[in-house]
Amino acid sequence: MAKLEIQIQMRKMIKPSTPTPNHLRSLKLSFFDQGAPRLYVPILFHYLPTGECNRELGIIEKCEKLQNSLAETLTSFYPLAGRFMEDKFLIHCNDVGVEYVESKVNMNLAEFLRRGPKIELLDDLLPEMDQSSSPLLGVQVNLFNCGGLVMGIQISHIIADAFTLATFLNEWANTSLTGTTKDCLPSFGHLSSLFPPRVISAGPQFSLPSIEGPKIITKRFVFDAFAIANLKDRINPSTAIFTRVVVVMSLIWKVLMGISSAKHGHSRDSSFVFPINLRGKSKLSSLEHAQGNFYVTVAATLEANEMRRELHEFVNAIGSTARNTSLSIGKAASVDEIMSLSINCGTEIINKFVQGDAIDIYPSTSWCRFPWYEADFGWGKPMWVSSVGKTFEVISLFDTKDGDGIEAWVSLKENDMLEFERDTQILASTAFDSSIWIK
Protein backbone atom coordinates (compact mmCIF):
# COMPACT_ATOMS: atom_id res chain seq x y z
CA MET A 1 0.00 0.00 0.00
CA ALA A 2 1.37 3.40 -0.96
CA LYS A 3 2.00 6.08 1.64
CA LEU A 4 -1.09 8.09 2.48
CA GLU A 5 -1.51 11.31 0.54
CA ILE A 6 -2.84 13.75 3.11
CA GLN A 7 -3.47 17.44 2.59
CA ILE A 8 -4.31 19.64 5.57
CA GLN A 9 -7.37 21.70 4.64
CA MET A 10 -7.82 23.65 7.86
CA ARG A 11 -6.26 24.09 11.28
CA LYS A 12 -7.84 26.15 14.04
CA MET A 13 -8.49 26.37 17.77
CA ILE A 14 -11.99 25.45 18.91
CA LYS A 15 -13.03 27.29 22.08
CA PRO A 16 -15.92 26.57 24.46
CA SER A 17 -19.16 28.07 23.12
CA THR A 18 -19.74 29.69 26.52
CA PRO A 19 -16.83 31.32 28.39
CA THR A 20 -15.68 29.53 31.52
CA PRO A 21 -16.76 31.43 34.68
CA ASN A 22 -14.02 33.16 36.64
CA HIS A 23 -14.38 30.89 39.67
CA LEU A 24 -13.55 27.86 37.49
CA ARG A 25 -10.52 29.36 35.77
CA SER A 26 -7.98 27.49 37.89
CA LEU A 27 -8.18 23.70 38.20
CA LYS A 28 -5.80 22.13 40.68
CA LEU A 29 -4.57 18.70 39.70
CA SER A 30 -4.54 15.65 41.95
CA PHE A 31 -2.02 13.22 43.34
CA PHE A 32 -3.11 10.73 40.66
CA ASP A 33 -2.48 13.32 37.91
CA GLN A 34 0.97 13.80 39.44
CA GLY A 35 1.94 10.26 38.49
CA ALA A 36 0.54 10.39 34.95
CA PRO A 37 3.14 10.22 32.15
CA ARG A 38 3.75 13.44 30.25
CA LEU A 39 2.54 12.27 26.87
CA TYR A 40 -0.46 12.40 24.53
CA VAL A 41 -2.79 9.41 24.42
CA PRO A 42 -4.02 8.56 20.87
CA ILE A 43 -7.14 6.85 19.53
CA LEU A 44 -8.71 6.61 16.05
CA PHE A 45 -12.40 6.26 15.11
CA HIS A 46 -13.10 4.92 11.60
CA TYR A 47 -16.47 5.68 9.95
CA LEU A 48 -17.56 4.30 6.58
CA PRO A 49 -19.51 6.60 4.21
CA THR A 50 -23.23 6.88 4.92
CA GLY A 51 -24.31 7.26 1.26
CA GLU A 52 -25.46 10.88 1.16
CA CYS A 53 -26.98 11.96 -2.15
CA ASN A 54 -24.77 15.04 -2.18
CA ARG A 55 -21.48 13.79 -0.79
CA GLU A 56 -19.76 17.18 -0.77
CA LEU A 57 -22.64 18.81 1.08
CA GLY A 58 -22.74 15.89 3.49
CA ILE A 59 -19.06 16.31 4.32
CA ILE A 60 -19.48 20.05 4.92
CA GLU A 61 -22.43 19.40 7.22
CA LYS A 62 -20.51 16.74 9.14
CA CYS A 63 -17.57 19.04 9.75
CA GLU A 64 -19.79 21.96 10.81
CA LYS A 65 -21.66 19.67 13.17
CA LEU A 66 -18.41 18.39 14.66
CA GLN A 67 -17.03 21.87 15.24
CA ASN A 68 -20.23 23.27 16.75
CA SER A 69 -20.87 20.27 19.00
CA LEU A 70 -17.22 20.26 20.11
CA ALA A 71 -17.52 23.90 21.18
CA GLU A 72 -20.73 23.07 23.08
CA THR A 73 -19.16 20.06 24.79
CA LEU A 74 -16.09 22.05 25.83
CA THR A 75 -18.37 24.28 27.90
CA SER A 76 -18.81 21.35 30.30
CA PHE A 77 -15.31 19.91 29.75
CA TYR A 78 -13.71 23.35 30.03
CA PRO A 79 -10.29 22.18 31.38
CA LEU A 80 -9.55 20.54 28.02
CA ALA A 81 -9.55 23.99 26.39
CA GLY A 82 -7.05 25.29 28.95
CA ARG A 83 -3.31 24.99 29.37
CA PHE A 84 -1.16 23.05 31.81
CA MET A 85 1.06 25.13 34.10
CA GLU A 86 3.88 22.85 35.25
CA ASP A 87 5.29 25.28 37.82
CA LYS A 88 1.95 25.56 39.65
CA PHE A 89 0.74 22.07 38.77
CA LEU A 90 -2.67 23.20 37.65
CA ILE A 91 -4.74 23.74 34.52
CA HIS A 92 -5.31 27.38 33.63
CA CYS A 93 -8.84 27.14 32.21
CA ASN A 94 -8.41 30.15 29.94
CA ASP A 95 -10.51 28.91 26.98
CA VAL A 96 -7.58 29.16 24.56
CA GLY A 97 -9.04 26.12 22.85
CA VAL A 98 -8.31 22.67 21.50
CA GLU A 99 -6.47 21.88 18.29
CA TYR A 100 -8.86 21.07 15.41
CA VAL A 101 -7.61 19.92 12.01
CA GLU A 102 -9.39 18.84 8.83
CA SER A 103 -7.49 16.91 6.18
CA LYS A 104 -8.17 15.33 2.80
CA VAL A 105 -6.92 11.78 2.24
CA ASN A 106 -6.50 10.67 -1.37
CA MET A 107 -7.82 7.13 -0.89
CA ASN A 108 -11.05 5.25 -0.23
CA LEU A 109 -11.46 4.20 3.40
CA ALA A 110 -12.62 0.68 2.47
CA GLU A 111 -9.46 0.22 0.41
CA PHE A 112 -7.38 1.44 3.35
CA LEU A 113 -9.00 -1.06 5.75
CA ARG A 114 -9.74 -4.09 3.55
CA ARG A 115 -6.51 -5.99 4.06
CA GLY A 116 -5.68 -4.55 7.43
CA PRO A 117 -4.09 -1.09 7.43
CA LYS A 118 -0.36 -0.67 7.76
CA ILE A 119 0.08 0.47 11.34
CA GLU A 120 2.86 2.86 10.44
CA LEU A 121 0.33 4.83 8.34
CA LEU A 122 -2.20 5.27 11.13
CA ASP A 123 -0.04 7.83 12.89
CA ASP A 124 -0.54 10.18 9.91
CA LEU A 125 -4.23 10.40 10.83
CA LEU A 126 -3.48 11.99 14.20
CA PRO A 127 -3.09 15.72 14.78
CA GLU A 128 0.46 16.94 15.22
CA MET A 129 0.29 18.67 18.55
CA ASP A 130 1.97 22.05 18.74
CA GLN A 131 4.07 21.82 21.89
CA SER A 132 4.69 25.57 21.89
CA SER A 133 0.99 26.31 22.45
CA SER A 134 0.56 23.09 24.48
CA PRO A 135 -3.07 22.20 23.74
CA LEU A 136 -4.44 19.47 25.99
CA LEU A 137 -6.61 17.99 23.25
CA GLY A 138 -6.20 17.61 19.50
CA VAL A 139 -8.70 16.40 16.90
CA GLN A 140 -7.98 15.60 13.25
CA VAL A 141 -10.91 14.84 10.94
CA ASN A 142 -9.55 12.89 7.96
CA LEU A 143 -11.92 12.95 4.97
CA PHE A 144 -11.45 10.10 2.47
CA ASN A 145 -12.40 10.18 -1.22
CA CYS A 146 -15.38 7.89 -0.67
CA GLY A 147 -16.99 10.12 1.95
CA GLY A 148 -15.76 8.02 4.86
CA LEU A 149 -13.79 9.65 7.63
CA VAL A 150 -11.34 8.80 10.38
CA MET A 151 -11.28 10.94 13.48
CA GLY A 152 -7.90 11.03 15.20
CA ILE A 153 -7.79 12.12 18.84
CA GLN A 154 -4.82 13.00 21.03
CA ILE A 155 -5.35 13.97 24.67
CA SER A 156 -2.80 14.89 27.31
CA HIS A 157 -2.46 12.19 29.96
CA ILE A 158 -1.94 14.90 32.58
CA ILE A 159 -5.69 15.67 32.47
CA ALA A 160 -7.27 12.38 31.40
CA ASP A 161 -7.18 8.62 31.71
CA ALA A 162 -9.20 6.26 29.49
CA PHE A 163 -12.37 6.72 31.57
CA THR A 164 -12.19 10.52 31.23
CA LEU A 165 -11.47 10.34 27.50
CA ALA A 166 -14.39 7.95 26.94
CA THR A 167 -16.72 10.18 28.98
CA PHE A 168 -15.76 13.23 26.94
CA LEU A 169 -15.99 11.53 23.54
CA ASN A 170 -19.41 10.05 24.18
CA GLU A 171 -20.75 13.34 25.51
CA TRP A 172 -19.41 15.05 22.39
CA ALA A 173 -20.98 12.39 20.18
CA ASN A 174 -24.32 12.70 21.99
CA THR A 175 -24.27 16.49 21.56
CA SER A 176 -23.50 16.13 17.85
CA LEU A 177 -26.18 13.47 17.36
CA THR A 178 -29.02 15.07 19.37
CA GLY A 179 -28.12 18.75 19.41
CA THR A 180 -28.45 18.81 23.21
CA THR A 181 -26.09 18.38 26.14
CA LYS A 182 -26.71 16.23 29.19
CA ASP A 183 -27.82 17.88 32.42
CA CYS A 184 -25.24 16.00 34.50
CA LEU A 185 -21.97 17.94 34.41
CA PRO A 186 -18.61 16.13 34.65
CA SER A 187 -16.91 16.25 38.04
CA PHE A 188 -13.63 18.15 37.76
CA GLY A 189 -11.65 19.14 40.84
CA HIS A 190 -13.16 16.55 43.17
CA LEU A 191 -10.12 14.29 43.01
CA SER A 192 -7.69 17.11 43.79
CA SER A 193 -9.77 18.20 46.79
CA LEU A 194 -9.50 14.70 48.29
CA PHE A 195 -6.09 13.69 46.91
CA PRO A 196 -3.89 16.80 46.61
CA PRO A 197 -0.40 16.42 45.12
CA ARG A 198 2.32 15.30 47.48
CA VAL A 199 6.02 16.00 47.65
CA ILE A 200 7.46 12.54 47.10
CA SER A 201 10.54 11.79 49.19
CA ALA A 202 13.82 11.34 47.36
CA GLY A 203 14.28 7.86 45.96
CA PRO A 204 14.30 5.97 42.68
CA GLN A 205 12.79 7.89 39.81
CA PHE A 206 11.38 6.56 36.57
CA SER A 207 10.62 8.12 33.22
CA LEU A 208 9.50 6.76 29.87
CA PRO A 209 12.25 5.20 27.74
CA SER A 210 14.03 7.43 25.27
CA ILE A 211 12.97 7.15 21.63
CA GLU A 212 16.69 6.91 20.83
CA GLY A 213 16.77 3.27 21.99
CA PRO A 214 16.25 0.09 19.93
CA LYS A 215 13.70 0.19 17.13
CA ILE A 216 10.19 -0.60 18.36
CA ILE A 217 7.74 -2.48 16.13
CA THR A 218 3.97 -2.41 16.71
CA LYS A 219 1.74 -5.16 15.33
CA ARG A 220 -1.91 -6.01 15.83
CA PHE A 221 -3.14 -9.47 16.85
CA VAL A 222 -6.83 -10.37 17.01
CA PHE A 223 -8.12 -12.89 19.56
CA ASP A 224 -11.69 -13.70 18.56
CA ALA A 225 -14.29 -15.16 20.93
CA PHE A 226 -13.59 -18.74 19.75
CA ALA A 227 -9.85 -18.40 20.39
CA ILE A 228 -10.44 -16.93 23.84
CA ALA A 229 -12.84 -19.76 24.70
CA ASN A 230 -10.18 -22.28 23.67
CA LEU A 231 -7.63 -20.53 25.90
CA LYS A 232 -10.05 -20.64 28.83
CA ASP A 233 -10.47 -24.38 28.29
CA ARG A 234 -6.73 -24.79 28.90
CA ILE A 235 -6.96 -23.18 32.34
CA ASN A 236 -7.34 -25.20 35.51
CA PRO A 237 -11.00 -24.74 36.58
CA SER A 238 -9.85 -24.06 40.14
CA THR A 239 -8.34 -20.79 38.95
CA ALA A 240 -10.47 -18.05 40.50
CA ILE A 241 -10.33 -15.24 37.96
CA PHE A 242 -9.94 -15.58 34.23
CA THR A 243 -11.79 -12.86 32.36
CA ARG A 244 -11.01 -12.62 28.67
CA VAL A 245 -8.67 -9.66 29.36
CA VAL A 246 -6.75 -11.61 32.01
CA VAL A 247 -6.52 -14.65 29.71
CA VAL A 248 -5.13 -12.66 26.77
CA MET A 249 -2.70 -10.76 29.00
CA SER A 250 -1.55 -14.06 30.49
CA LEU A 251 -0.88 -15.72 27.13
CA ILE A 252 1.08 -12.71 25.91
CA TRP A 253 3.13 -12.65 29.12
CA LYS A 254 3.77 -16.40 28.88
CA VAL A 255 5.07 -16.07 25.32
CA LEU A 256 7.24 -13.05 26.18
CA MET A 257 8.69 -14.89 29.16
CA GLY A 258 9.57 -17.80 26.89
CA ILE A 259 11.28 -15.46 24.42
CA SER A 260 13.31 -13.93 27.25
CA SER A 261 14.38 -17.33 28.58
CA ALA A 262 15.53 -18.45 25.13
CA LYS A 263 17.41 -15.20 24.57
CA HIS A 264 19.25 -15.22 27.91
CA GLY A 265 19.66 -18.97 28.25
CA HIS A 266 17.82 -19.04 31.59
CA SER A 267 14.58 -17.81 33.11
CA ARG A 268 14.47 -14.41 34.84
CA ASP A 269 12.24 -12.59 37.27
CA SER A 270 9.36 -11.21 35.23
CA SER A 271 6.64 -8.62 35.91
CA PHE A 272 3.52 -7.78 33.94
CA VAL A 273 2.44 -4.21 34.73
CA PHE A 274 -1.11 -2.90 34.26
CA PRO A 275 -3.40 -0.11 35.55
CA ILE A 276 -6.58 -0.63 37.58
CA ASN A 277 -9.39 1.92 37.34
CA LEU A 278 -10.28 2.91 40.92
CA ARG A 279 -13.77 4.24 40.17
CA GLY A 280 -16.46 2.17 41.80
CA LYS A 281 -13.95 0.25 43.94
CA SER A 282 -13.74 2.50 47.00
CA LYS A 283 -16.30 3.41 49.64
CA LEU A 284 -16.34 6.95 48.25
CA SER A 285 -19.30 6.69 45.87
CA SER A 286 -18.85 10.33 44.85
CA LEU A 287 -15.75 9.28 42.89
CA GLU A 288 -17.52 6.89 40.49
CA HIS A 289 -17.63 9.52 37.73
CA ALA A 290 -14.63 11.66 38.72
CA GLN A 291 -12.75 13.17 35.79
CA GLY A 292 -8.97 13.24 35.53
CA ASN A 293 -6.64 10.36 36.36
CA PHE A 294 -7.91 7.89 38.94
CA TYR A 295 -6.11 4.58 38.63
CA VAL A 296 -3.33 2.65 40.29
CA THR A 297 -0.62 0.76 38.42
CA VAL A 298 0.23 -2.70 39.74
CA ALA A 299 2.65 -5.48 38.88
CA ALA A 300 2.04 -9.22 38.73
CA THR A 301 5.39 -10.94 39.27
CA LEU A 302 6.77 -14.44 38.70
CA GLU A 303 10.21 -15.28 40.00
CA ALA A 304 12.83 -17.01 37.90
CA ASN A 305 13.07 -20.77 38.00
CA GLU A 306 13.67 -23.63 35.62
CA MET A 307 10.20 -25.16 35.94
CA ARG A 308 7.81 -25.15 33.01
CA ARG A 309 5.17 -22.44 33.40
CA GLU A 310 1.58 -23.28 32.52
CA LEU A 311 -0.96 -20.72 31.34
CA HIS A 312 -2.98 -20.94 34.55
CA GLU A 313 0.06 -19.79 36.58
CA PHE A 314 0.15 -16.53 34.63
CA VAL A 315 -3.63 -16.21 34.95
CA ASN A 316 -3.37 -16.70 38.70
CA ALA A 317 -0.60 -14.11 39.00
CA ILE A 318 -2.47 -11.41 37.07
CA GLY A 319 -5.90 -12.27 38.42
CA SER A 320 -4.85 -12.38 42.07
CA THR A 321 -2.92 -9.10 41.75
CA ALA A 322 -5.98 -7.37 40.31
CA ARG A 323 -8.34 -8.95 42.82
CA ASN A 324 -6.19 -8.21 45.88
CA THR A 325 -5.67 -4.59 44.84
CA SER A 326 -9.40 -4.08 44.31
CA LEU A 327 -10.18 -5.66 47.68
CA SER A 328 -7.62 -3.43 49.42
CA ILE A 329 -9.14 -0.32 47.84
CA GLY A 330 -12.61 -1.48 48.87
CA LYS A 331 -11.49 -2.01 52.47
CA ALA A 332 -9.70 1.34 52.72
CA ALA A 333 -11.45 3.33 55.44
CA SER A 334 -10.03 6.73 54.53
CA VAL A 335 -8.60 8.85 51.74
CA ASP A 336 -5.16 8.52 53.38
CA GLU A 337 -5.33 4.73 53.14
CA ILE A 338 -6.17 4.90 49.42
CA MET A 339 -3.30 7.34 48.90
CA SER A 340 -0.91 5.14 50.86
CA LEU A 341 -1.85 2.06 48.83
CA SER A 342 -1.29 3.95 45.59
CA ILE A 343 2.10 5.25 46.77
CA ASN A 344 3.18 1.74 47.75
CA CYS A 345 2.15 0.37 44.33
CA GLY A 346 3.98 3.18 42.56
CA THR A 347 7.13 2.64 44.61
CA GLU A 348 7.05 -1.07 43.80
CA ILE A 349 6.81 -0.35 40.07
CA ILE A 350 9.63 2.20 40.14
CA ASN A 351 11.88 -0.16 42.10
CA LYS A 352 11.37 -2.79 39.41
CA PHE A 353 12.16 -0.41 36.55
CA VAL A 354 15.36 0.90 38.14
CA GLN A 355 16.73 -2.65 38.18
CA GLY A 356 17.29 -2.17 34.48
CA ASP A 357 18.13 -5.31 32.53
CA ALA A 358 18.15 -7.52 35.63
CA ILE A 359 14.40 -8.14 35.36
CA ASP A 360 11.89 -8.36 32.50
CA ILE A 361 9.06 -5.82 32.77
CA TYR A 362 6.12 -5.72 30.37
CA PRO A 363 3.91 -2.60 30.65
CA SER A 364 0.34 -3.00 29.44
CA THR A 365 -3.03 -1.29 29.41
CA SER A 366 -6.57 -2.43 28.68
CA TRP A 367 -9.19 -0.17 27.12
CA CYS A 368 -11.71 -2.98 26.94
CA ARG A 369 -15.30 -2.43 28.13
CA PHE A 370 -15.15 1.30 27.54
CA PRO A 371 -17.94 2.46 25.18
CA TRP A 372 -15.73 3.46 22.26
CA TYR A 373 -18.03 1.82 19.71
CA GLU A 374 -21.01 3.89 20.93
CA ALA A 375 -19.52 7.11 19.57
CA ASP A 376 -22.24 8.05 17.04
CA PHE A 377 -21.87 11.67 15.94
CA GLY A 378 -24.85 11.49 13.61
CA TRP A 379 -23.63 9.22 10.82
CA GLY A 380 -23.58 5.87 12.61
CA LYS A 381 -21.29 4.14 15.03
CA PRO A 382 -17.64 3.56 14.13
CA MET A 383 -16.94 0.37 12.22
CA TRP A 384 -13.49 0.22 13.84
CA VAL A 385 -11.76 1.89 16.79
CA SER A 386 -8.00 1.55 16.72
CA SER A 387 -4.76 2.41 18.38
CA VAL A 388 -1.56 3.47 16.56
CA GLY A 389 2.09 2.46 16.59
CA LYS A 390 4.15 3.18 19.72
CA THR A 391 7.75 4.28 20.26
CA PHE A 392 8.13 2.29 23.50
CA GLU A 393 7.37 -1.27 24.58
CA VAL A 394 3.76 -1.74 25.68
CA ILE A 395 0.82 -4.11 25.20
CA SER A 396 -2.50 -2.33 24.55
CA LEU A 397 -5.80 -4.22 24.53
CA PHE A 398 -9.00 -3.08 22.77
CA ASP A 399 -12.38 -4.69 22.24
CA THR A 400 -13.23 -6.01 18.81
CA LYS A 401 -16.39 -4.44 17.41
CA ASP A 402 -18.61 -7.34 18.50
CA GLY A 403 -17.38 -6.88 22.07
CA ASP A 404 -16.45 -10.55 22.46
CA GLY A 405 -12.91 -10.57 21.08
CA ILE A 406 -9.78 -8.58 21.87
CA GLU A 407 -7.33 -6.72 19.65
CA ALA A 408 -3.84 -6.80 21.14
CA TRP A 409 -1.58 -4.01 19.90
CA VAL A 410 1.86 -5.29 20.81
CA SER A 411 4.90 -3.00 20.70
CA LEU A 412 8.25 -4.76 21.11
CA LYS A 413 11.88 -4.45 20.15
CA GLU A 414 12.32 -5.61 16.56
CA ASN A 415 14.09 -8.89 17.36
CA ASP A 416 11.56 -9.78 20.07
CA MET A 417 8.68 -9.09 17.70
CA LEU A 418 10.14 -11.53 15.16
CA GLU A 419 10.01 -14.26 17.79
CA PHE A 420 6.61 -13.20 19.16
CA GLU A 421 4.73 -13.21 15.85
CA ARG A 422 5.95 -16.68 14.90
CA ASP A 423 5.35 -18.25 18.30
CA THR A 424 3.10 -21.31 17.87
CA GLN A 425 0.80 -20.26 20.73
CA ILE A 426 0.23 -16.84 19.16
CA LEU A 427 -0.25 -18.32 15.69
CA ALA A 428 -2.80 -20.79 17.05
CA SER A 429 -4.82 -18.17 18.91
CA THR A 430 -4.80 -15.04 16.73
CA ALA A 431 -5.40 -13.62 13.30
CA PHE A 432 -2.31 -11.45 12.85
CA ASP A 433 -3.15 -8.07 11.26
CA SER A 434 -6.40 -9.55 9.97
CA SER A 435 -8.82 -7.55 7.83
CA ILE A 436 -11.31 -5.19 9.43
CA TRP A 437 -14.08 -7.23 7.85
CA ILE A 438 -14.54 -5.01 4.79
CA LYS A 439 -15.74 -7.10 1.85
Side-chain angles (χ1 to χ4, degrees), residues 243-401:
T243 66
R244 64 195 178 99
V245 169
V246 169
V247 169
V248 170
M249 282 183 169
S250 300
L251 179 67
I252 291 173
W253 186 15
K254 181 178 187 295
V255 171
L256 291 174
M257 197 171 181
I259 292 171
S260 171
S261 297
K263 180 168 58 177
H264 294 96
H266 58 85
S267 63
R268 299 169 13 127
D269 289 353
S270 182
S271 290
F272 199 85
V273 177
F274 56 96
I276 296 177
N277 180 14
L278 296 181
R279 297 169 182 86
K281 293 181 174 63
S282 76
K283 296 177 181 179
L284 302 173
S285 59
S286 60
L287 294 175
E288 288 188 17
H289 303 288
Q291 303 296 295
N293 290 285
F294 193 38
Y295 64 91
V296 62
T297 303
V298 298
T301 299
L302 290 172
E303 295 181 354
N305 61 56
E306 299 303 324
M307 294 175 60
R308 181 185 177 190
R309 294 276 184 194
E310 301 297 336
L311 182 59
H312 72 265
E313 295 179 78
F314 295 86
V315 169
N316 277 330
I318 293 176
S320 61
T321 299
R323 181 182 66 253
N324 293 340
T325 302
S326 296
L327 289 174
S328 296
I329 291 294
K331 292 178 181 177
S334 67
V335 165
D336 285 342
E337 287 186 17
I338 295 176
M339 184 96 79
S340 177
L341 185 146
S342 178
I343 290 173
N344 291 340
C345 289
T347 301
E348 179 187 357
I349 299 294
I350 291 172
N351 286 336
K352 290 182 182 299
F353 273 102
V354 296
Q355 293 182 53
D357 194 46
I359 181 174
D360 294 321
I361 303 175
Y362 304 108
S364 72
T365 186
S366 171
W367 283 22
C368 296
R369 294 306 183 203
F370 287 109
W372 309 115
Y373 281 96
E374 299 302 312
D376 182 354
F377 289 85
W379 43 87
K381 297 178 181 180
M383 58 78 54
W384 187 41
V385 178
S386 78
S387 184
V388 298
K390 302 293 194 301
T391 58
F392 51 91
E393 290 188 291
V394 66
I395 293 95
S396 303
L397 304 186
F398 287 78
D399 288 318
T400 53
K401 187 177 182 180

Side-chain angles (χ1 to χ4, degrees), residues 4-12 14 42-47 63 66-67 70 98-105 121-130 137-144 148-155 168-169 172 377 379:
L4 288 180
E5 295 181 31
I6 298 181
Q7 292 183 337
I8 301 299
Q9 306 291 305
M10 183 228 300
R11 186 187 299 272
K12 64 188 292 188
I14 301 288
I43 190 169
L44 294 171
F45 294 81
H46 305 251
Y47 297 88
C63 293
L66 281 174
Q67 292 183 53
L70 177 56
V98 304
E99 185 89 4
Y100 178 85
V101 180
E102 289 178 9
S103 76
K104 178 67 175 175
V105 184
L121 300 182
L122 292 173
D123 192 61
D124 295 339
L125 303 175
L126 291 170
E128 292 185 9
M129 305 303 285
D130 184 355
L137 174 70
V139 178
Q140 183 164 318
V141 181
N142 302 280
L143 306 168
F144 284 71
L149 68 83
V150 175
M151 188 185 304
I153 309 288
Q154 295 226 66
I155 193 167
F168 164 73
L169 285 170
W172 178 17
F377 289 85
W379 43 87

